[in-house]
Amino acid sequence: MYAETSSVTLLDSLTDFERREKIKKMTGFWSVFCDESGCSKPCSYNDVKFLVDPSTCINHLLISCFDVLLLILLLFVMIQKSFSKPYQDLVNRQRYSTLQLVSSITNGVLGLVHLFFGIWIFEEKLRKNRTALPLDLWLLELFQGLTWLLVGLTLSLKFKQLPRAWLRLFSILIFLVSGINCVLSLFYAMSSTQLPLKVALDVLSFPAAILLLLCTYKESKYRDGDREIDESLYAPLNGELNKNDSVCRVTLFAEAGFFSRMSFWWLNSLMKRGKENTLQDEDVPKVRDEDRAESCYLLFLDQLNKQKQKDPLSQPSVLKTIVLCHSREILISGFFALLKVLALSSGPLLLNSFILVVEGFESFKYEGFVLAIALFFIKIIESLSQRQWYFHSRLVGLKVRSLLTAVIYKKQLRLSNSARLTHSSGEIMNYVTVDAYRIGEFPYWFHQTWTTSFQLCISLVILFRAIGIATIASLVVIVITVLCNAPIAKLQHKFQSKLMVAQDERLKATSEALVNMKVLKLYAWETSFKNSIEGLRNEELKWVSAVQLRRAYNTFLFWSSPVLVSAASFGACYFLNVPLHANNVFTFVATLRLVQDPIRSIPDVIGVVIQAKVAFARILKFLEAPELQSEKRCSDGNMRGSISIKSAEFSWEDNNVSKSTLRNINLEVKSGQKVAICGEVGSGKSSLLSAILGEVPNTRGKIDVYGKFAYVSQTAWIQTGTIRDNVLFGSPMDAQKYQETLHRSSLVKDLELLPHGDLTEIGERGVNLSGGQKQRIQLARALYQNADIYILDDPFSAVDAQTATNLFNEYIMEGLSAKTVLLVTHQVDFLPAFDFVLLMSDGEILQAAPYHHLLTSSKDFQDLVNAHKETAGSNRLMDVTSSGRHSNSAKEIRKTYVEKEKQFEALKGDQLIKQEEREIGDRGFRPYLQYLSQNKGYVYFSVASISHIIFVIGQILQNSWMAANVDNPKVTTLRLILVYLFIGVTSTIFLLMRSLFTVALGLQSSKSLFLQLLNSLFRAPMSFYDSTPLGRILSRVSSDLSIVDLDVPFGLLFAVGATTNCYANLTVLAVVTWQVLFVSIPMIYFALRLQGYYFATAKELMRMNGTTKSFVANHLAESVAGAVTIRAFEQEGRFFVKNLGLIDINATPFFHSFAANEWLIQRLETVSAVVLASAALCMVILPPGTFSSGFIGMALSYGLSLNASLVFSIQNQCNIANYIISVERLNQYMHVPSEAPERIEGNRPPVNWPVVGRVEIKELQIRYRPDAPLVLRGITCTFEGGHKIGIVGRTGSGKTTLIGALFRLVEPAGGKIIVDGIDIGSIGLHDLRSRFGIIPQDPTLFNGTVRYNLDPLSQHSDQEIWEVLGKCQLQEAVQEKEGGLDSSVVEDGANWSMGQRQLFCLGRALLRRSRVLVLDEATASIDNATDLILQKTIRTEFADCTVITVAHRIPTVMDCTKVLSISDGKLVEYDEPMNLMKKEGSLFGKLVKEYWSHFQSAESH
């Protein structure tokens, strides 16, 4: 019993001892955490009252532990997620609901308030008590802040990435704890009748927790229904996208976790690949699903419909819709922008404390170390937030650009004809390449508009703390600066609009000249057109200089404003007797230096806002342009293929009902009928077809069309791509049907002779095909589509008689036997076979009846047929017996592979159209030197750079003077301020010089670069144009030139300027604290290596961006040209999907390019933060008195802006590296090998040469490139002066090549041509071409007036022009137009019919009056009656001239003096036509027989 008692006593004494030890330890802990006063009974933690009282330490400790637990759990889940996450190819699109956004904003704000409250308590404790103890309240607030920020935002926005169990655990825990805390706080507030901020925050936490709980609940429903929604709403517009995308890799950004996104870790693999090898297109992964053009476009339509539903009466605002589409990203980037400004503004406050510490006024022990570490973390936060801000803004810009490009493309497919007159193809190209690009740049600058103001306000508050009432002076100066800028901004807007218009005009003229370069060369008009483009360019440069000068003035104003602000403020300090010490002066200087960069970017922000506003207005105007009324095609199965038009009128001009193009049209076509349409030139045949297609607005009456169209246009529209792609036109491949189509379209033999068969790449607009081949590919395309109604606009004009007969029999009579056919034709031979013939005149149908009926009843029709018989020369041909159709051997029909093979045409398996060339690897300073070597560019650049360096040195001197003398009693305040002011004002003069010389540099270089480019393009041989798609050249003279004009000069200046500033900041730091060199030298080395690593990838990405931009431009240009065909075949959807794909291909390198930019800057900012923190630590560790407080202030004020200046420097270096690629791209086309000189001064022909017109061809050999086979093989013959020579041969025999050789479009490989004793190879090209006359194969008209089209060089009087118009049957047509000779001709001469355009070309030849005239298929598009008159005109007007005629229609050459037959590039025979006809086995005889049999067989139908 005793033993028991003693053991109990022993135990008791032991537990007492342990309890006392525990209490001792606890008391030690409490005194640190809570202080005695805070909790009178720290040991009584069993007392429930202490647990539930929200003002006690125990309560604080419990909540802090709970917060830490949550944060650890979150970190654990995130790390687990980032390791275990499988890589997915396609990601689901994340769409944030309003609830999520409200929840994330509420929790984010709550977290920030907690954080700032904690920091404030911490700072107050240090100020008052010189110690950070007790920890409880400020530590609690910091933990609370972090928890609400991280956990709240993750649960609100990232719930998809968290496992469901964790989600529920987090939200329920937070809900319970917040609920309990809220109730306790409310009781406490009631009992103590006061409401501390902490209690208020506890109460507000509960609604935030409810929002989180709702988010989690919604998520459960959302996850279940998410997949179906995604699949249904975002199913691609067409199956094609799916096929490709499943294989493509998606960017790692799509699946990146939080840490990876914040640090751009997801880019590492791409950067590494770029460093190891030159990046190829396939190395760059695709953009995320939600960033693709298709998603952006669908989202836009979705929002637009919502807007319309809200307010059905008013037109929804496009701008508002775009903002709503991207509101989430805009808010996110706005949040980061706010965070960045707050982090940046805390710098000067830390600096102020720092100077006090160094002067010996420490608030607590180790305060210096705490401040140095705080400085480092604040800089890191600033860096993270700014990078995310810029990245998200750029992403929005990319999506907006993709969206606008898609919307513009969609719109141009529906544009009405009147709208096409105001928005030419050049302008539409400009909307995409220039305007959409400028708007895409805008979101990047958007937040700068308000962050700059916000930062200024915060800065003014800090200034007020530093210099008190003198801040008013700063405010006044800032207000004056902004006011001075207002009128400039207005002018800038006006000039920018004018510049865009001037740019459109120049582009329109340039694209017209480039498209028709062959015609310009044949007429020797290049110089005249080049001069007119130069004139337009000078007008454009006038506005460029106006815009750039305003920008220079702005730059000067805002770069000098910090100098003015400091002058005014220090002046005010002197007059108001505010004492100046190191801590307040350098707080002021540091604040000013931080505001400096945002203030300096104000002119850029204003410029970008103005550019975006102008561009947006232009795009809006385009989007509001009138559209074609979509014609309803009826779907009655029994009526398929029939057309019914009742008393209808049609007018090309929407708003002009009185001036109808077609009047009183009545037409009934039953299914399967064949209808021919004929009439003289300009009678409205093509317009009638357009009206049936729905292209011409119907102003009166009714039109019903049943079934699907196939359309063959008069001028062939061929896409870049293979022949197979052109024939299939989006339909699936059916081998049997395809072969039959090729056979019926007479394409089989052509394909055998092409190097890759039907997989041969065709150049843009079909440049490597003959006219006949292009038409037959169009016919094949129509046949393969298997439509109900075939609308054929004169497809036989470009083919020879034999092919025409084949096509008529096999294609129209057999292939389309069951189809409805409307055929416009000038060949009377085919008319008997049609069910009925429409005879048109002057926009009306005169008669509609079968051929024989018309022949007896209509005088007009009789004239037409008789004219044909007369041209056919039937009286001469009666003795030629009719023979059956010949089957042609492959050798005979040696198709265009030989004739128009053109340069670069392939033998060794390479295609004609090459991949677009781009530079590879780092080209160092070469492009910069190219830019600076233009027009004394070096001088301007050197002066501007030196001026800037002097300005920076001035600023350092200014601050050094202040640092050295601010606490020097020997220097009076007045002297201190006056010297400071004097240095500042002097340095701003150099600032002005810098700006002006930059503008001069830009103008001179742009002028010189453009002139060289233009000369190079106009002097390039035709082979260059045949192998270079127009989009490539146009993207250079539009977007690349715009960048060179506006962005490169200032980009270059800012890169030099910002880099100088950065090194200046580093130098100041190193001079004051030389110890920092130990850290900064390795860091600088690391930074340079990092930059090299970055450029390896970034340069390739920017080049890819340039080449993929051309794809979009090419496809757009092609679609604008073929809009009618695309609509007729109802292929808009497929073309739109292809366009979306091309936009994404372009977006991919651009996205990775700006992400790489942020990747680099973030790493460099970390480097600069380390340098700054090291400098601060140096100052703390070294004994007091080592540095004067003035110099410490100066060093840190420079150090604080080191991050900003480094970013500014790297950004500008990256910008100029991207911009300079435009100079590289221009340079690629500035040195195209040119043709022979225009004039050879020592060898000019006599003024009246050629006098006789005798042409001798001696052993002429032509090949299109050095290793290609000969196209003409040693032709020798002589055309006597005044003779009429006919050149005949099958398609592709070399006829057009011979003409090309005469005009030296191709230089001979051997032999020569002598005209009147002068070898044409020995004289200049202009001298040669200007002395010959030609009527080319493709009739071309230019934008301008009738007078300009006949006589662009203004060499003839009006009287002469009217005379000529009379001779070529155009006088009446021109007199009917308002304005006579000044009446307008629109782009491509679209307001004149094809036949009229050919008559214009005859008019040009009549005006020129050359002794040698060449007619190349000149009358192919003219009806027979007009043809007769023309032949007579040519016979009389050119009676004593040498006339060389290339003909498909045999009758054209029957009355020639001699006929030259070519086959396979060799001369077969050369004699008088009648002799050749009698000769046995003559090629010419064969062709005549074929023609005649074709004529007879058509009549017998």
Side-chain angles (χ1 to χ4, degrees), residues 50-270:
F50 284 106
L51 290 174
V52 297
D53 183 348
S55 66
T56 59
C57 301
I58 297 176
N59 180 290
H60 295 177
L61 182 65
L62 281 174
I63 293 177
S64 296
C65 291
F66 172 72
D67 287 339
V68 172
L69 177 72
L70 276 184
L71 288 171
I72 291 169
L73 284 175
L74 183 69
L75 189 68
F76 168 71
V77 173
M78 280 303 198
I79 290 171
Q80 188 186 25
K81 179 92 178 87
S82 62
F83 281 120
S84 64
K85 181 160 39 196
Y87 182 80
Q88 293 177 341
D89 263 343
L90 289 171
V91 295
N92 277 332
R93 179 186 170 75
Q94 275 196 22
R95 297 184 299 284
Y96 291 117
S97 63
T98 317
L99 177 67
Q100 284 173 273
L101 289 173
V102 172
S103 170
S104 58
I105 291 167
T106 311
N107 285 294
V109 170
L110 194 63
L112 283 175
V113 174
H114 272 297
L115 272 177
F116 287 119
F117 184 40
I119 293 167
W120 181 74
I121 294 171
F122 176 64
E123 195 190 4
E124 286 302 303
K125 273 198 164 45
L126 292 183
R127 283 272 167 271
K128 290 177 183 168
N129 312 332
R130 298 289 178 97
T131 173
L133 304 176
L135 303 173
D136 68 332
L137 197 52
W138 66 265
L139 201 62
L140 168 73
E141 288 302 320
L142 285 181
F143 281 140
Q144 283 276 70
L146 283 171
T147 307
W148 281 112
L149 259 181
L150 296 176
V151 180
L153 290 178
T154 308
L155 293 192
S156 302
L157 299 178
K158 295 283 172 200
F159 59 60
K160 277 184 155 187
Q161 296 180 8
L162 290 177
R164 189 177 289 189
W166 282 106
L167 256 181
R168 289 179 174 170
L169 176 70
F170 276 130
S171 54
I172 292 168
L173 277 177
I174 290 180
F175 176 73
L176 290 174
V177 173
S178 300
I180 295 166
N181 219 1
C182 174
V183 173
L184 295 178
S185 297
L186 283 171
F187 277 122
Y188 174 78
M190 287 171 191
S191 61
S192 69
T193 66
Q194 56 176 345
L195 186 68
L197 180 60
K198 181 192 174 309
V199 172
L201 287 176
D202 285 344
V203 173
L204 287 174
S205 303
F206 189 52
I210 294 174
L211 282 170
L212 281 182
L213 196 65
L214 284 173
C215 270
T216 316
Y217 167 71
K218 278 258 174 158
E219 178 275 340
S220 305
K221 291 173 68 180
Y222 187 89
R223 269 192 191 171
D224 301 333
D226 195 25
R227 199 158 298 283
E228 298 93 292
I229 295 170
D230 270 15
E231 282 168 6
S232 62
L233 183 61
Y234 291 90
L237 307 178
N238 189 309
E240 291 174 37
L241 275 184
N242 263 350
K243 286 197 296 251
N244 308 336
D245 286 1
S246 55
V247 188
C248 298
R249 293 180 305 118
V250 176
T251 175
L252 291 170
F253 173 61
E255 283 287 276
F258 178 75
F259 297 108
S260 175
R261 285 190 179 196
M262 290 304 285
S263 61
F264 295 96
W265 201 256
W266 55 271
L267 251 183
N268 287 0
S269 57
L270 183 70

Side-chain angles (χ1 to χ4, degrees), residues 473-486 557-558 564:
S474 314
L475 185 63
V476 169
V477 174
I478 290 171
V479 169
I480 290 173
T481 310
V482 174
L483 287 179
C484 285
N485 183 58
L557 193 65
F558 286 100
L564 302 172

Side-chain angles (χ1 to χ4, degrees), residues 184 374 406 451 559 694 830 895 1138 1143 1187 1242-1243 1439:
L184 295 178
T451 50
W559 276 65
F830 301 131
K895 300 288 181 193
K1138 183 179 177 189
I1143 294 172
F1187 314 107
N1243 203 0

Side-chain angles (χ1 to χ4, degrees), residues 11-25:
L11 277 171
D12 277 354
S13 62
L14 269 172
T15 43
D16 277 350
F17 174 71
E18 282 173 358
R19 194 178 295 141
R20 274 200 304 279
E21 280 301 304
K22 263 188 182 170
I23 288 168
K24 250 188 214 169
K25 282 180 187 168

